[in-house]
Amino acid sequence: MYEVGDLVQVNNDCAVTYFRGRIALVTKAAGHDVTDHSQGLYYSLQFSDGEEHIFPSIELSLLSKAERKNNENR
């Protein structure tokens, strides 16, 4: 669903109040929770303070897709 470099916002219904509404970059896909597939995929996010945290996709909203550059002609 999300790709590395996408800009996302943590939803206002996030379980941890501190993260509600915060904006971050997706740094990697962390996979599924094998015990609970209702959360969807998990993603590692990097926030503006440099901290990285993992969130389920249902707690995120896409703000901007990462631009991909074609390096084949370099």
Side-chain angles (χ1 to χ4, degrees):
M1 182 169 180
Y2 299 112
E3 296 178 17
V4 172
D6 288 350
L7 188 65
V8 295
Q9 183 172 25
V10 179
N11 296 336
N12 286 330
D13 59 349
C14 175
V16 182
T17 308
Y18 174 77
F19 290 109
R20 292 179 183 168
R22 292 191 64 195
I23 296 172
L25 286 173
V26 175
T27 58
K28 63 183 165 186
H32 287 282
D33 179 349
V34 295
T35 62
D36 184 6
H37 287 283
S38 67
Q39 299 292 310
L41 286 173
Y42 283 77
Y43 295 91
S44 179
L45 306 180
Q46 183 171 17
F47 292 87
S48 61
D49 61 4
E51 294 290 322
E52 286 200 28
H53 300 279
I54 296 175
F55 285 85
S57 59
I58 64 166
E59 290 189 346
L60 305 174
S61 296
L62 181 66
L63 294 178
S64 178
K65 291 296 282 179
E67 290 187 23
R68 304 286 179 237
K69 294 187 179 193
N70 185 351
N71 293 327
E72 293 176 4
N73 296 326
R74 289 187 178 190

